[in-house]
């Protein structure tokens, strides 16, 4: 078993090597909008999982994730060679590319938070003009001596029986 710290360092190095190779050395147009977000290496240092996202060409277009996945699969051998040359480990890890779902999850969470804020605003607006259903002051005032009752006394005391 390898040291977990060593696995983290190797994952960080693989992340850098793969991102640099995709950006500068691989000339596949399908990989033009691919961003490497994270890499994880197993404890035995034999398998590396690389997470990526794909951005659209402009803000309105949907990213072509299938084409990016095909481009990464085609470039896997070249990228593994680059990783082997750049890390210097005895066994070059196999590379597995996984589409990162964190941006989609974050976008969904932002939409849910916006919906909750809108519902809170609607409740606040309804509460602003609302009046209580009963008395304005539902709490009874303490009796005073001027009400016909002794101060501090109770109308139904056991002494009156």
């Amino acid at each position: 078993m390898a040291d977990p710290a060593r696995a983290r360092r190797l994952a960080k190095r693989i992340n850098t090597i793969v991102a640099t190779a995709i950006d500068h050395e691989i000339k596949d147009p399908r990989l033009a909008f691919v961003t490497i977000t994270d890499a994880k290496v197993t404890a035995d240092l034999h398998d590396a999982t690389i997470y990526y996202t794909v951005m659209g060409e402009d803000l309105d277009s949907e990213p072509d994730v299938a084409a990016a996945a095909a481009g990464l699969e085609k470039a896997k051998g070249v990228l593994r060679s680059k990783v082997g040359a750049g890390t210097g480990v005895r066994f070059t890890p196999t590379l597995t590319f996984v589409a990162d779902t964190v941006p989609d999850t974050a976008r969904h969470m932002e939409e849910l938070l916006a919906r909750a804020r809108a519902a809170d605003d609607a409740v606040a607006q309804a509460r602003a003009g609302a009046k209580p259903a009963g008395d304005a002051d539902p709490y009874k005032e303490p009796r005073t001596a001027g009400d016909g009752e002794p101060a501090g006394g109770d109308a139904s005391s056991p002494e009156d029986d």
Side-chain angles (χ1 to χ4, degrees):
M1 291 296 272
D3 181 20
R6 182 175 182 208
R8 282 193 303 271
R9 285 193 311 268
L10 183 62
K12 185 183 268 188
R13 183 73 182 129
I14 290 172
N15 188 357
T16 304
I17 291 169
V18 171
T20 303
I22 288 174
D23 195 30
H24 297 299
E25 298 171 19
I26 297 180
K27 302 299 181 199
D28 192 341
R30 297 176 291 187
L31 302 180
F33 298 103
V34 171
T35 303
I36 303 300
T37 57
D38 194 14
K40 297 201 186 300
V41 177
T42 58
D44 62 0
L45 305 180
H46 283 256
D47 298 309
T49 303
I50 300 168
Y51 297 92
Y52 67 93
T53 59
V54 182
M55 306 304 281
E57 292 183 26
D58 54 15
L59 295 176
D60 296 333
S61 69
E62 283 293 319
D64 193 1
V65 179
L72 287 169
E73 195 63 34
K74 183 178 178 194
K76 186 185 286 190
V78 173
L79 291 172
R80 186 168 183 225
S81 299
K82 298 279 183 194
V83 167
T87 58
V89 293
R90 181 182 304 164
F91 180 80
T92 303
T94 58
L95 303 180
T96 304
F97 292 96
V98 176
D100 196 356
T101 59
V102 170
D104 296 331
T105 304
R107 187 175 16 261
H108 179 68
M109 292 299 282
E110 287 295 326
E111 290 171 1
L112 291 175
L113 287 172
R115 199 177 319 158
R117 281 188 210 104
D120 286 347
D121 290 342
V123 168
Q125 288 176 353
R127 185 178 55 218
K131 294 185 176 157
D135 296 332
D137 186 13
Y139 299 103
K140 300 290 183 193
E141 294 292 324
R143 295 183 182 175
T144 59
D147 290 340
E149 295 291 328
D154 192 8
S156 63
S157 64
E159 298 163 356
D160 292 340
D161 291 335

